[in-house]
Amino acid sequence: MSTRALQELDDVLARSDDADEALRETVRILAAEPGIAWAGIAFLDEGSLVLGPSVGDPDERRRSAVPIRFEESVVGELVIDGNADPALLEEVAGRIAAHVLIGWDTGGEAWDP
């Protein structure tokens, strides 16, 4: 993943008030990177991962995933098909965690970003 892509992601996250839009843009940015065929974000919902926004052509043979954590709790998973540095994927997962939390089942607890 390029430095340009990380900057584009930061710009999207800074200007977006809508979590869905921010996450759709995140997968679009990832899938546009050389060597990445597909990108998706799965939300943890009642103990199961449920695919949310995704872009590209899946190639499960080249799949890798990193957990998305918010305050020590796993709230989802960032998934890509292709070649990406796991450390950079973890960086992206950290940057989008608060947006993913909105799609996470909070068990009825109020959440205030």
Side-chain angles (χ1 to χ4, degrees):
M1 178 168 211
S2 67
T3 304
R4 179 209 50 80
L6 284 174
Q7 182 59 53
E8 185 179 355
L9 176 61
D10 286 342
D11 293 345
V12 164
L13 296 175
R15 74 173 182 264
S16 181
D17 291 331
D18 181 71
D20 290 334
E21 176 187 339
L23 297 176
R24 284 191 300 272
E25 284 296 303
T26 298
V27 295
R28 180 195 61 76
I29 292 165
L30 288 169
E33 283 293 287
I36 298 179
W38 178 86
I41 297 171
F43 301 98
L44 190 62
D45 184 23
E46 296 183 8
S48 298
L49 288 169
V50 177
L51 184 61
S54 66
V55 172
D57 297 316
D59 181 1
E60 293 183 19
R61 294 170 295 137
R62 299 171 55 207
R63 183 155 292 173
S64 59
V66 296
I68 300 170
R69 291 183 173 85
F70 186 84
E71 295 182 0
E72 306 292 323
S73 295
V74 173
V75 295
E77 190 171 75
L78 177 61
V79 187
I80 64 107
D81 293 352
N83 299 322
D85 180 348
L88 286 174
L89 291 178
E90 289 179 12
E91 181 70 27
V92 171
R95 291 178 187 196
I96 64 172
H99 297 284
V100 172
L101 181 65
I102 293 170
W104 181 51
D105 180 12
T106 61
E109 293 181 29
W111 179 71
D112 182 13

